[in-house]
Amino acid sequence: MAQVVACLDQPSTYRDHRSELDRETERRLLSRSSTLYVGNLSFYTTEAQIYELFSACSRTDQGGGIKRIIMGLDRNQKTPCGFAFVEYYLHEEAVACLRYISGTKLDERVIRCDLDPGYKEGRQFGRGKSGGQVRDEFRQEYDSGRGGWGHQKMEEERRRQEQDRMRSKMQFDTYASSFGGLGMAGADVPRGETDGHERHKRERSADEDDDRHRGDEDGGKRLRGDDDDDE
């Protein structure tokens, strides 16, 4: 008889394509695994918050509890990038998390949990080209809890801004070159005029020439008067 409601304590059909395990070995490991993969976390969710929520499924009276929490990290920046591994002491605790915690909210985000065959060193780093998770490479919506826009969308925006800057620079250079090398400084000066400093120099030189001319005339008169007296 088919089930109307799916079992909440069963692992998903997802399979890590980079895993070297065959399906039978993976199925056997999952049947006794006490490790959970936790996804869709906020980049700002702390290890303490994860511990507080997931300890609700601990069975300390049976020798259980949380063994450790491994935060997923950006491969380049070494900062949280939205996933984690939670290791319990008992398989039953991990199964209880699938039933009671997967699909609940943590930091205003609906998190998802799945049984994991077992954590190995190196799996804590994101596999995306940018260093984070692959799912954040292609995300088109803005998600403030996961770094804003997806990596590809941010790259497209960066290229668009760079093209706009280059287009503006080319327009400026074309506009400046149309003034025959004067640039923007010469563009504001009407044809046939120079700046005030040059005009002032010419006026001062003309005044000095007039003074010298009058001085020569006065000197000539004095010389002619002296000659008359000598005669």
Side-chain angles (χ1 to χ4, degrees):
M1 180 177 173
Q3 292 180 339
V4 177
V5 179
C7 292
L8 301 179
D9 55 359
Q10 296 296 316
S12 71
T13 57
Y14 169 80
R15 186 173 186 273
D16 185 0
H17 294 288
R18 298 190 184 184
S19 174
E20 299 177 354
L21 302 174
D22 58 76
R23 287 188 177 276
E24 184 59 35
T25 302
E26 185 179 44
R27 190 179 299 111
R28 186 176 65 254
L29 291 173
L30 290 174
S31 66
R32 59 172 184 259
S33 174
S34 59
T35 303
L36 282 175
Y37 172 87
V38 185
N40 200 38
L41 292 170
S42 167
F43 288 1
Y44 306 102
T45 298
T46 64
E47 185 176 331
Q49 289 175 286
I50 296 174
Y51 184 89
E52 182 179 2
L53 176 62
F54 282 79
S55 60
C57 292
S58 297
R59 298 182 178 179
T60 54
D61 58 329
Q62 301 179 21
I66 295 177
K67 182 188 296 185
R68 63 173 176 168
I69 296 173
I70 302 102
M71 300 294 290
L73 302 176
D74 184 289
R75 187 175 63 253
N76 300 323
Q77 302 179 27
K78 304 300 184 291
T79 55
C81 64
F83 71 99
F85 295 95
V86 179
E87 288 187 354
Y88 287 97
Y89 284 100
L90 301 175
H91 170 70
E92 291 76 12
E93 294 172 315
V95 173
C97 274
L98 290 181
R99 180 177 295 173
Y100 301 117
I101 293 182
S102 184
T104 61
K105 277 190 174 183
L106 177 60
D107 254 0
E108 300 302 318
R109 301 183 67 84
V110 178
I111 62 173
R112 61 180 186 277
C113 306
D114 200 5
L115 282 176
D116 189 85
Y119 170 78
K120 290 183 178 180
E121 186 63 29
R123 291 186 62 201
Q124 74 271 36
F125 298 118
R127 297 175 177 177
K129 293 181 180 179
S130 63
Q133 287 194 275
V134 175
R135 65 187 294 252
D136 288 318
E137 297 283 318
F138 305 98
R139 180 165 43 78
Q140 293 295 312
E141 75 279 3
Y142 185 86
D143 191 338
S144 59
R146 294 183 70 89
W149 297 107
H151 178 68
Q152 287 192 358
K153 191 172 182 67
M154 284 194 296
E155 284 295 307
E156 291 173 2
E157 180 65 17
R158 185 190 63 79
R159 287 194 294 267
R160 187 189 65 79
Q161 293 178 355
E162 183 65 24
Q163 290 174 356
D164 289 344
R165 284 195 293 269
M166 292 297 295
R167 191 178 299 112
S168 298
K169 184 178 183 302
M170 291 175 62
Q171 290 174 350
F172 176 84
D173 292 342
T174 301
Y175 179 72
S177 63
S178 65
F179 290 95
L182 292 177
M184 296 305 294
D188 295 332
V189 180
R191 182 173 296 180
E193 292 188 11
T194 57
D195 59 23
H197 180 67
E198 292 294 330
R199 187 165 56 253
H200 177 70
K201 287 174 61 177
R202 285 205 307 270
E203 291 174 353
R204 187 174 62 186
S205 298
D207 292 340
E208 291 175 352
D209 291 341
D210 291 342
D211 291 341
R212 284 196 297 271
H213 182 67
R214 285 194 296 270
D216 293 340
E217 290 181 348
D218 294 341
K221 291 179 180 179
R222 286 196 300 273
L223 288 173
R224 286 194 295 273
D226 292 341
D227 292 341
D228 293 340
D229 290 339
D230 290 340
E231 290 178 355

